[in-house]
Amino acid sequence: MRRKLVAGNWKMHGLKADLGEVRAIAAAVPGSVDAALCLPFTLIASAVEAAGALQIGAQDVHEAEKGAHTGCVSAAMLVDAGAGLTIVGHSERRADQHETDNQVKAKGEAAHKAGLRVILCVGETLEERDAGRAEQVVTAQVAASLPEAASAEWLALAYEPVWAIGTGRTPTEADVAAMHGAIRAKLRELVGGEAERLRILYGGSVNGANAASLLGCADVDGALVGGASLTAEKFVPIIEAAAKL
Ligand code: PEP
């Protein structure tokens, strides 16, 4: 039985004035699910103090341990700030920063080496889905960006169809279950029995109204949530939906 994980991604939102939302979310985390917020780098250290059972993480990490990489943040820096996890390979970074599968894999490995847990994102574009290539694209991303020695102790995957992020559109439950099943089958090929323990989150326009049905799909072990994670009012119902499953 895989314990549900509900993770929020604040993207480039959030100032110190918003730490009250972190506190309100933290106060509502039930003992039966894992909950996390992946915040802008600037908020991590102060959010950790307010977080309680809520895990605080980052949205990206550099693959190098240190060096001449102006504007970047290393895994050791995230640990130093108090982060417990980081997202890698979010589609916005794959698109905007042209991150490759190889780079995403290196980021996951650097994060793990420094002691962080990792959420690895994969997902197809609408063009790829319309061309009937969604499963092929996503399972290829999994194979190419999965860190070495992947283990459920520190790694979760997130299936996030690019066309469902921030659009209010979601795949059908059948499509979600089919893709999560395909990802798990690929993981069996790659890591054998550990595939049964690895959590696969769904992400893309999850909200309080659709969380129960999306989280109830076969092989869905939680959610990665963007817009609806910005306030306790919207995020807590998703955590509560997960706790009821
Ligand atoms: C995301 O960016 O990871 C995401 C799932 O966003 P949203 O929930 O806003 O679609």
Side-chain angles (χ1 to χ4, degrees):
M1 179 74 181
R2 295 176 294 266
R3 186 176 155 94
K4 294 274 191 281
L5 166 61
V6 179
N9 171 15
W10 275 21
K11 310 194 184 190
M12 201 168 70
H13 300 284
L15 300 173
K16 279 188 275 181
D18 300 304
L19 286 171
E21 296 295 341
V22 176
R23 271 184 221 100
I25 293 166
V29 175
S32 54
V33 292
D34 292 331
L37 273 183
C38 295
L39 298 173
F41 295 134
T42 48
L43 281 185
I44 289 172
S46 33
V48 165
E49 290 170 21
L54 181 65
Q55 302 165 29
I56 298 298
Q59 302 162 20
D60 181 47
V61 63
H62 197 276
E63 59 272 31
E65 272 180 35
K66 60 171 96 164
H69 303 289
T70 301
C72 299
V73 171
S74 73
M77 290 170 183
L78 294 179
V79 172
D80 195 44
L85 72 152
T86 185
I87 294 171
V88 298
H90 192 282
S91 61
E92 286 157 13
R93 294 200 60 86
R94 288 179 186 260
D96 299 351
Q97 270 73 37
H98 313 293
E99 288 186 1
T100 62
D101 284 327
N102 263 348
Q103 199 178 355
V104 170
K105 177 176 176 173
K107 283 170 183 264
E109 289 170 356
H112 171 51
K113 194 171 166 201
L116 294 168
R117 295 182 300 287
V118 173
I119 298 176
L120 163 65
C121 299
V122 293
E124 83 284 0
T125 63
L126 189 55
E127 200 182 22
E128 289 161 344
R129 176 157 287 268
D130 287 346
R133 299 198 306 120
E135 282 190 14
Q136 181 196 327
V137 166
V138 169
T139 54
Q141 280 178 345
V142 171
S145 53
L146 195 77
E148 289 300 322
S151 143
E153 306 310 328
W154 59 272
L155 183 72
L157 286 87
Y159 166 56
E160 297 205 304
V162 177
W163 51 272
I165 294 181
T167 60
R169 293 181 58 194
T170 54
T172 63
E173 289 171 36
D175 283 345
V176 171
M179 183 61 84
H180 280 237
I183 293 171
R184 196 163 314 276
K186 176 53 75 176
L187 288 172
R188 277 187 202 108
E189 278 174 32
L190 296 168
V191 296
E194 189 63 12
E196 311 309 324
R197 298 179 62 235
L198 281 164
R199 292 185 285 196
I200 308 172
L201 317 182
Y202 167 78
S205 296
V206 176
N207 57 43
N210 63 21
S213 54
L214 288 165
L215 283 159
C217 293
D219 278 305
V220 175
D221 307 310
L224 182 56
V225 184
S229 71
L230 291 171
T231 62
E233 186 188 5
K234 290 189 174 163
F235 196 42
V236 171
I238 299 172
I239 297 171
E240 285 172 347
K244 283 190 195 129
L245 290 166

